[in-house]
Amino acid sequence: MRVALFLTCVNDTLYPETGRAVVKLLTRLGVEVDFPMAQTCCGQAHYNTGYRHEAEPLARHFSDVFGEYEAIVTPSGSCGAMVRELYPRMGERARAEGRGDSLAATLAPVVPKTYELTEFLVDVLGVTDVGAYYPHQVTYHPTCHGLRGLGLGDRPRRLLQAVKGLELVELPGAEECCGFGGTFALKNADVSAAMGADKVRNAESTGAEVLCAADNSCLMHIGGTMTRLSSGMRPVHIAEILASTEEEPAV
Amino acid sequence: MSGTFVGMPAFPKAAHEAVNNPTLRGNLRHATHTIRAKRATAVAELTDWAALREAGKRIKDHTLRHLDRYLEQLEASVTAAGGIVHWASDADEANRIVAGLVKATGESEVVKVKSMATQEIGLNEALEAEGIRAYETDLAELIVQLGKDRPSHILVPAIHRNRGEIRDIFEHEMSEWGRPAPDGLTDTPAELAEAARLHLREKFLRAKVGISGANFMVAETGTLVVVESEGNGRMCLTLPETLISVVGIEKIVPAWRDLEVFLQTLPRSSTAERMNPYTSTWTGTTDGDGPRTFHLVLLDNGRTDTLADEVGRQALRCIRCSACLNVCPVYERAGGHAYGSVYPGPIGAILSPQLRGTASEIDASLPYASSLCGACYEVCPVAIDIPEVLVHLRERVVEGGPVTREGNKVVLQPAKGHAAERAAMRAARWAFTRPGALRTGQRLASRTRRLHPRTLPGPGKAWSGSRDLPPVPAEPFRDWWQRTQGGKGGAK
Ligand code: SF4
């Protein structure tokens, strides 16, 4: 099977190790991964800040770049939800504005074949034990768009539970938002920071060394809060845990 | 604290104080987490919850689509049952009508059932200006009224107060409004409730005019429904000679049968009760039983304009259960007052900018008072996609566009104050439709990475005031991919 990796602009720029982990993991599972070099950004930040019309060219660009692939895999719950939930809505809104079916038709092909990483592993490849080894105590934070947008359910936790050496610790208040929320983190910095601090406190109360999530944007916020609060915990993307093996362990 | 919301600052500024007030944070956290957990249990008991939620949504959508027809039907059935129907297009008109009706009775005081609509129009203040005193009889509303305070929650308007504060308010303020608090009042719930009961009892027995809202109006029969927990509502609805109900036009349901859905979803969503304690229904007037005169004031006040908007109109499905407030992480930390409206929390953030427009500082900031986490949508018993409406209203703020105001289609200009953001969004769109430009930017960032600070000055403080920045990696992923041919080159 040949799939396109949609890494997302944030990961490409700031978290290349997450991208390398996805490539390593999928390759190990026998998937041929391509990274279309023309990819940029799904337009989520534009859309969610109120700039839907600015997001449209980005969505069209996404569809041009990825339209030909059998499946598109992304290690981000929120960017996955952007394509799956909001691209169809953008098409509908354009239609309602009297601009015809062109946008809806352009975006339609990529919608059903875009998968968040853990969804792709569990639903498409049908694996929960990916042969990973990660001898650490980990607590898992389900990010909002993965949880409530895509409905990832217990997929990430099932994958983590199957990792050799990994001890999964329950996170109190797990389903509460970490307070990132894209431009919310800047526009309502006080409330965002208070939510982040509460999330970190809950994470610390588990005694785990690692807080794992399936979205680096949220981890950037949580991790930035952790270092500021001098917490001993580390934020780690789930792809990096699943890519880690006994031969090549992640630190 | 003033009793009005006029001239409120933007949400982030208004929230700043609450976020940094540990007592308030503690009160709100405790209250919202408790009710949140109870609601979840009450809802989980019903195996057909999803079907009830869908049914509630559809009944409301159907009614809103044919609102004109149902309103006329309601007017006819209320009139046939002996009631008198009045139409108010805005707050001023509604207040004028109610003040006129009270004056016509010759009375100068009224008792009130807890009502969002009368708070929305500022009825108490309007009556006060006409020399009429309105007494709130719901316990939490009484606390707010005595404390010259503002409500901070739909269901529990005094949620921001703890027992000690309530005791002090009763002791100092009750005498000014009627029967004083008993001597030596403590802050035990039983004593506080008894003080309120004694204080209110004399008002119930004396009042000749009652004022209420309604949770539902049944078009078929002209029946109004009030759902409450303390029994004060029943007193106000049955003892006075004249009853005046002020109700938003969206509170209609076609038939009694439809109540079957909402009388299950509303109590479980709001108080986590299986069944509501006091559900009062009345149809016009009945000889020898209850008020002899019944007036229904149907309130628009921005609702028709809201109905005209394809995305925003779903806010009119709201049954004011307050589940979205109780589950909202932003409400929990910012408190209800920051929303600058009698409608706080997620529903307030989508309702106020539609009912009032987005011209004021507070209304233009409300659509951003959310991390879009979606918890509100998940719990809403009529499936209002609050995040969808928030984003839609953000668009209205930054892009402008067509809206309906007082029945007229107008085109809004983009709000000022977003110029820098708009320029940044355009620049980002430009770069993101040109992979080469993105790459140049990434390389520049990587090459200068050692110069990047972990904190930022100026506007960047909004991020780095509380969070460190992530370090920029030595090379972006795409460069690694190209250099190693997707890792096949063996390089790590
Ligand atoms: S928006 Fe939904 S959850 Fe919120 S108060 Fe209204 S009905 Fe309840």
Side-chain angles (χ1 to χ4, degrees):
Chain A
M1 185 167 203
R2 188 161 169 270
V3 305
L5 168 62
F6 167 50
L7 187 54
T8 81
C9 56
V10 167
N11 287 326
D12 180 10
T13 309
L14 293 173
Y15 299 99
E17 66 277 22
T18 297
R20 294 198 291 269
V22 177
V23 174
K24 181 175 157 190
L25 169 66
L26 291 179
T27 309
R28 189 171 81 218
L29 295 170
V31 178
E32 197 184 323
V33 184
D34 193 11
F35 177 84
M37 291 296 280
Q39 68 178 277
T40 55
C41 164
C42 62
Q44 186 190 187
H46 289 79
Y47 184 93
N48 280 342
T49 313
Y51 297 88
R52 173 168 55 93
H53 293 103
E54 297 285 344
E56 284 180 6
L58 303 184
R60 283 182 187 275
H61 180 77
F62 182 96
S63 201
D64 285 348
V65 172
F66 290 102
E68 296 307 313
Y69 289 90
E70 232 181 299
I72 305 148
V73 179
T74 181
S76 160
S78 63
C79 299
M82 174 69 187
V83 176
R84 285 246 298 278
E85 310 273 297
L86 302 178
Y87 277 14
R89 195 171 284 170
M90 284 168 83
E92 277 167 38
R93 295 295 301 142
R95 202 180 285 140
E97 286 169 341
R99 291 188 284 128
D101 284 338
S102 147
L103 186 64
T106 305
L107 304 186
V110 292
V111 173
K113 55 187 183 184
T114 297
Y115 300 92
E116 183 278 334
L117 175 68
T118 65
E119 254 180 345
F120 182 77
L121 295 171
V122 176
D123 298 354
V124 181
L125 299 185
V127 291
T128 43
D129 185 351
V130 296
Y133 172 73
Y134 194 77
H136 300 281
Q137 268 199 336
V138 174
T139 190
Y140 176 72
H141 166 60
T143 59
C144 300
H145 292 178
L147 179 74
R148 286 178 275 263
L150 293 174
L152 294 183
D154 64 354
R155 292 177 186 83
R157 302 182 77 261
R158 275 157 63 201
L159 288 159
L160 290 171
Q161 267 154 353
V163 173
K164 210 169 140 195
L166 186 149
E167 189 193 332
L168 190 60
V169 202
E170 214 51 57
L171 175 64
E175 296 190 357
E176 284 166 39
C177 176
C178 71
F180 174 61
T183 47
F184 172 78
L186 304 173
K187 287 179 188 283
N188 278 288
D190 287 324
V191 178
S192 167
M195 289 162 70
D198 287 346
K199 179 59 72 181
V200 169
R201 262 191 292 276
N202 276 332
E204 282 175 339
S205 77
T206 65
E209 316 154 54
V210 167
L211 178 119
C212 167
D215 211 315
N216 273 330
S217 306
C218 306
L219 287 176
M220 176 169 75
H221 164 75
I222 299 171
T225 307
M226 282 173 168
T227 53
R228 183 61 59 90
L229 298 177
S230 307
S231 154
M233 289 185 84
R234 294 181 288 134
V236 178
H237 193 284
I238 192 168
E240 291 164 45
I241 292 178
L242 298 179
S244 168
T245 55
E246 265 164 303
E247 299 74 48
E248 278 184 89
V251 280
Chain B
M1 178 148 315
S2 101
T4 166
F5 286 114
V6 176
M8 280 283 296
F11 184 84
K13 217 164 143 198
H16 178 79
E17 222 177 290
V19 170
N20 294 300
N21 177 342
T23 316
L24 180 63
R25 282 274 298 276
N27 289 355
L28 280 173
R29 184 182 160 81
H30 176 72
T32 55
H33 280 250
T34 307
I35 185 70
R36 197 183 288 182
K38 283 191 187 162
R39 185 215 74 99
T41 311
V43 165
E45 279 180 1
L46 292 185
T47 49
D48 61 346
W49 181 259
L52 282 169
R53 183 172 185 249
E54 181 63 21
K57 169 179 189 259
R58 287 198 195 183
I59 292 166
K60 285 283 182 179
D61 277 348
H62 166 87
T63 315
L64 290 167
R65 186 167 311 128
H66 306 287
L67 193 58
D68 51 345
R69 202 177 84 208
Y70 285 119
L71 281 169
E72 285 181 1
Q73 190 188 1
L74 178 81
E75 181 181 36
S77 49
V78 169
T79 310
I84 303 157
V85 177
H86 309 260
W87 300 83
S89 62
D90 58 18
D92 286 346
E93 195 177 359
N95 287 332
R96 260 201 315 277
I97 293 170
V98 177
L101 292 171
V102 177
K103 278 195 200 158
T105 65
E107 293 297 319
S108 60
E109 58 178 40
V110 300
V111 284
K112 284 188 71 203
V113 186
K114 180 172 165 24
S115 138
M116 297 308 299
T118 59
Q119 283 186 1
E120 174 189 325
I121 61 177
L123 180 65
N124 292 6
E125 293 73 22
L127 290 178
E128 191 76 52
E130 299 281 341
I132 301 162
R133 209 158 215 210
Y135 297 114
E136 294 291 351
T137 65
D138 169 86
L139 178 55
E141 289 296 358
L142 176 70
I143 296 164
V144 169
Q145 184 173 45
L146 292 176
K148 297 178 190 67
D149 200 351
R150 292 171 304 174
S152 67
H153 190 277
I154 292 176
L155 190 77
V156 201
I159 196 168
H160 56 288
R161 296 288 196 190
N162 59 34
R163 291 193 331 228
E165 292 174 302
I166 294 167
R167 193 209 76 91
D168 294 349
I169 291 171
F170 279 8
E171 186 177 71
H172 297 129
E173 307 295 336
M174 268 185 173
S175 56
E176 206 194 301
W177 292 77
R179 184 176 172 141
D183 286 336
L185 179 68
T186 71
D187 68 354
T188 58
E191 279 195 35
L192 293 174
E194 184 60 11
R197 196 174 288 126
L198 294 170
H199 180 80
L200 291 170
R201 179 74 44 169
E202 64 170 24
K203 300 204 179 342
F204 290 133
L205 295 176
R206 198 171 67 209
K208 296 277 183 284
V209 182
I211 294 184
S212 83
N215 294 91
F216 306 99
M217 304 185 284
V218 182
E220 189 182 46
T221 54
T223 306
L224 270 73
V225 183
V226 160
V227 173
E228 43 113 10
S229 306
E230 297 169 11
N232 66 302
R234 178 140 320 160
M235 298 283 225
C236 296
L237 296 167
T238 51
L239 292 176
E241 286 164 13
T242 302
L243 172 61
I244 305 167
S245 301
V246 182
V247 189
I249 52 173
E250 84 284 16
K251 295 281 153 220
I252 265 191
V253 293
W256 268 84
R257 196 187 49 226
D258 302 317
L259 295 175
E260 184 247 335
V261 172
F262 300 113
L263 292 182
Q264 292 186 74
T265 53
L266 178 54
R268 286 185 195 255
S269 299
S270 63
T271 50
E273 286 165 306
R274 292 180 179 139
M275 196 178 168
N276 179 64
Y278 291 90
T279 303
S280 300
T281 68
W282 70 98
T283 310
T285 55
T286 308
D287 281 339
D289 183 13
R292 256 154 284 159
T293 313
F294 168 54
H295 294 277
L296 171 59
V297 181
L298 291 169
L299 177 72
D300 187 316
N301 207 31
R303 286 161 175 77
T304 308
D305 293 345
T306 304
L307 187 59
D309 188 82
E310 254 180 76
V311 178
R313 64 169 64 129
Q314 55 185 309
L316 297 177
R317 293 203 294 257
C318 175
I319 57 172
R320 311 277 189 267
C321 72
S322 63
C324 59
L325 279 65
N326 297 332
V327 80
C328 177
V330 177
Y331 174 85
E332 179 193 326
R333 290 166 182 88
H337 290 149
Y339 293 81
S341 156
V342 300
Y343 302 114
I347 181 59
I350 63 168
L351 203 53
S352 306
Q354 296 201 85
L355 295 180
R356 305 193 297 208
T358 47
S360 74
E361 212 192 332
I362 180 74
D363 288 323
S365 71
L366 285 176
Y368 298 94
S370 166
S371 64
L372 303 179
C373 81
C376 48
Y377 176 36
E378 194 175 50
V379 297
C380 177
V382 284
I384 300 172
D385 190 340
I386 294 176
E388 178 188 20
V389 182
L390 286 167
V391 170
H392 176 69
L393 294 173
R394 290 176 183 187
E395 186 180 317
R396 184 176 293 175
V397 171
V398 298
E399 287 194 347
V403 293
T404 308
R405 283 276 158 263
E406 290 164 20
N408 302 311
K409 288 232 175 295
V410 292
V411 177
L412 285 186
Q413 291 304 308
K416 294 193 184 74
H418 288 262
E421 176 185 277
R422 196 173 301 122
M425 286 291 174
R426 283 206 184 124
R429 188 257 297 144
W430 184 88
F432 283 146
T433 45
R434 288 163 183 79
L438 171 63
R439 184 171 205 176
T440 309
Q442 286 173 332
R443 285 196 176 150
L444 185 66
S446 287
R447 231 172 289 136
T448 57
R449 61 198 280 257
R450 290 190 204 294
L451 307 172
H452 292 205
R454 297 289 285 234
T455 58
L456 293 169
K461 272 209 198 96
W463 177 271
S464 65
S466 62
R467 294 152 287 213
D468 286 334
L469 287 165
V472 175
E475 69 180 344
F477 177 86
R478 63 182 64 228
D479 283 2
W480 172 83
W481 177 271
Q482 207 166 36
R483 187 166 58 73
T484 64
Q485 295 133 41
K488 291 186 197 82
K492 295 245 310 270

